[in-house]
Amino acid sequence: MTTFSTQLKKFRQERHLSQDELAKDLFISRQAISKWENAEATPDLEHTVKLAEILQVSLDELILAKEPEVKIEWVIEKDRPMNIWEFFCQLLVGCFSSWRSFGVVFVTAALHFWLNWL
């Protein structure tokens, strides 16, 4: 089995996707996915790029089984004070989730006051 076919099957199973589901996302037949996983055929470049997007992996991981050099992770800093934009974003989220009409009026008034204050 080639590296690509092994990686394709591994990533598909990790994402809990069936061959049918993956085939529907790519607008191809389930048999094509089966052939790729059994190293009987290989996808064209367009399908390979789309596979990487669907499986959320890089082309290097999918084709060459290389681990990514850099992993991007979200880091939320809680040890520093909130800036004005973070405050308004949280205010918007909080207001829209429970007090929709009041939130719109309050946020609009707060933004108007803040912009005039500058």
Side-chain angles (χ1 to χ4, degrees):
M1 220 182 243
T2 67
T3 303
F4 171 76
S5 59
T6 306
Q7 291 294 95
L8 174 59
K9 187 171 186 173
K10 177 183 108 175
F11 289 128
R12 179 182 60 79
Q13 290 174 341
E14 284 177 2
R15 306 303 186 276
H16 305 290
L17 290 170
S18 67
Q19 288 182 342
D20 281 328
E21 292 168 330
L22 187 56
K24 285 179 185 175
D25 288 343
L26 293 167
F27 303 105
I28 58 172
S29 68
R30 182 201 56 79
Q31 290 82 1
I33 302 292
S34 179
K35 286 181 180 181
W36 296 346
E37 288 184 356
N38 292 318
E40 296 171 9
T42 55
D44 61 10
L45 183 59
E46 183 180 340
H47 284 115
T48 306
V49 170
K50 188 69 176 164
L51 276 169
E53 289 175 2
I54 292 168
L55 298 172
Q56 298 175 345
V57 295
S58 70
L59 287 171
D60 283 343
E61 288 177 279
L62 182 60
I63 298 170
L64 305 173
K66 285 186 177 180
E67 289 295 318
E69 293 178 17
V70 177
K71 284 262 188 194
I72 298 174
E73 297 179 17
W74 287 94
V75 177
I76 300 172
E77 297 177 23
K78 298 206 179 218
D79 295 339
R80 64 175 179 76
M82 190 182 304
N83 69 31
I84 190 72
W85 297 114
E86 292 168 334
F87 171 76
F88 279 120
C89 288
Q90 283 196 349
L91 184 66
L92 279 171
V93 170
C95 289
F96 282 116
S97 64
S98 59
W99 296 62
R100 291 195 177 166
S101 59
F102 174 75
V104 171
V105 171
F106 178 74
V107 170
T108 304
L111 282 173
H112 179 72
F113 172 77
W114 186 70
L115 289 173
N116 285 333
W117 181 63
L118 291 175

